[in-house]
Amino acid sequence: LVAYVMAINVEPEDEIVIKFAGPNGMISNTTSKPLDRRKSRLLRFAGKMRPKGGWAQGEYSAKISILRGGKPIAARHVKLVSK
């Protein structure tokens, strides 16, 4: 399970948050360290290995946010279903 964000013109102190949720609740919550400088392009990703026995059936989602001053300036929420 992998999610990524490609962003442009991010500022110093911006943070990237990638959260995964599944049918049984939160799977992973990753927050980057605050950026040390302005970046014209940025790529960040986070993931979780498949558990033994595979993923449970149900809805999974990834929510990716860029925070500036602790407040979201951009966000994307993606859902998928495991059958």
Side-chain angles (χ1 to χ4, degrees), residues 17-74:
V17 179
I18 301 175
K19 297 179 182 181
F20 292 107
N24 299 322
M26 185 65 65
I27 296 172
S28 175
N29 185 355
T30 304
T31 302
S32 71
K33 294 179 182 177
L35 298 176
D36 60 349
R37 60 187 168 89
R38 175 177 286 138
K39 298 191 186 265
S40 60
R41 286 186 279 169
L42 175 80
L43 173 64
R44 290 287 188 272
F45 61 92
K48 190 77 172 169
M49 296 288 288
R50 181 175 53 102
K52 290 186 179 191
W55 296 102
Q57 291 184 358
E59 186 175 284
Y60 289 83
S61 66
K63 184 174 183 183
I64 302 165
S65 304
I66 300 174
L67 305 180
R68 184 168 293 156
K71 296 179 182 177
I73 60 165

